[in-house]
Amino acid sequence: MHKAELYTSLNYVTHSREKRLKMARLLLDNCHLVRPLMEIAFEVEDPLSSKACWVLEFTAKQRLSCLFPHLDFFTDRIGSVQLHSSVRPVAKICESLALCFFSEQKKECREALTDTHLEKMATACFDWLIGEHKVAAKAYSMTSLLLLGEKFDWIHPELHLVIEQNYTLGSAAYKARARHTLTKLKKAESRKWVAGRRKWTKLKA
């Protein structure tokens, strides 16, 4: 199957989980189609781009490693998506990549994702968190940033600030996820303080 055929096939993808999964299975059997699918997904003016994002999300859920050879292309373009129907699945993929990267059992993922990839993901997640997007995309972004803050020191303070600034204007669902994230941030800050204290004590000794 070529890109043109893949594009035509996306016309038959609907909100149905069955339809998305069927298309994702085609990608799983033909991982070489991931790149052309991404190309369609990031043609943001094309009405079929959202459907490509849906299928990409389902593919990532089934076998995240299919995306690894294309992470440069993916992370270079994630900031270009605007429609919620595209932002939500792309934000979910970022969350999956972050969860994979910080899992001790996922060495392959840690080798595939570079600091540059992670920084571009962080930038996109902050944009989605600050922008006028629905709760799902913001929730996925919070999870990603919470994890990425374990690697990049600047992220947690910024995340804390953004959540507090937007809390009063958020929906009930947003506030619930925000409270959960703030609790996690406080624990992370406490761990870092303890670790820093121990390091200082050793140096002093």
Side-chain angles (χ1 to χ4, degrees), residues 18 28 33 56 71 97 118 134 151 158 160 168 183 203:
E18 181 183 356
L28 293 174
L33 293 175
L56 193 62
L71 287 174
L97 287 168
L118 298 174
K134 294 186 179 180
K151 184 169 180 64
E158 289 294 323
H160 198 291
T168 57
T183 299
L203 289 173

Side-chain angles (χ1 to χ4, degrees), residues 37-49:
L37 181 69
M38 281 189 183
E39 292 173 0
I40 298 169
F42 293 118
E43 291 172 3
V44 294
E45 301 298 327
D46 192 314
L48 282 182
S49 62

